[in-house]
Amino acid sequence: TSPRVQVVRPSLDGAFSARDLPAGTYRLAAVTDVEDDEWRRMEFLESLHDASVAIDVKAGATTLQDLRISG
């Protein structure tokens, strides 16, 4: 478990929010059909790298990022 890894689900309008992340650079990915604890495995997280977006979170600031899932 790490404060730098969070799993969030979108609200009914598709928006999502991750709170209390330490400042730093993160990878953000939107996925569907994930097994219950699959997101805890390093291999799974590494498999998302190419489809993820890098974001910088600054202390005390709000960061916005649009994501789209194609399918």
Side-chain angles (χ1 to χ4, degrees), residues 25-63:
T25 300
Y26 291 83
R27 303 295 302 186
L28 183 64
V31 295
T32 61
D33 299 325
V34 178
E35 301 285 328
D36 289 336
D37 283 338
E38 188 174 25
W39 63 272
R40 295 180 187 261
R41 293 192 355 245
M42 183 60 70
E43 300 83 20
F44 175 73
L45 296 175
E46 288 173 345
S47 75
L48 299 176
H49 187 273
D50 289 344
S52 66
V53 174
I55 61 166
D56 289 316
V57 173
K58 297 189 180 7
T62 298
T63 303

Side-chain angles (χ1 to χ4, degrees), residues 5-21 28-29 55 57 61-65 67:
V5 176
Q6 289 190 15
V7 173
V8 296
R9 296 189 184 276
S11 63
L12 293 176
D13 67 358
F16 63 91
S17 177
R19 300 191 182 282
D20 300 324
L21 290 171
L28 183 64
I55 61 166
V57 173
T62 298
T63 303
L64 299 175
Q65 178 66 51
L67 291 178

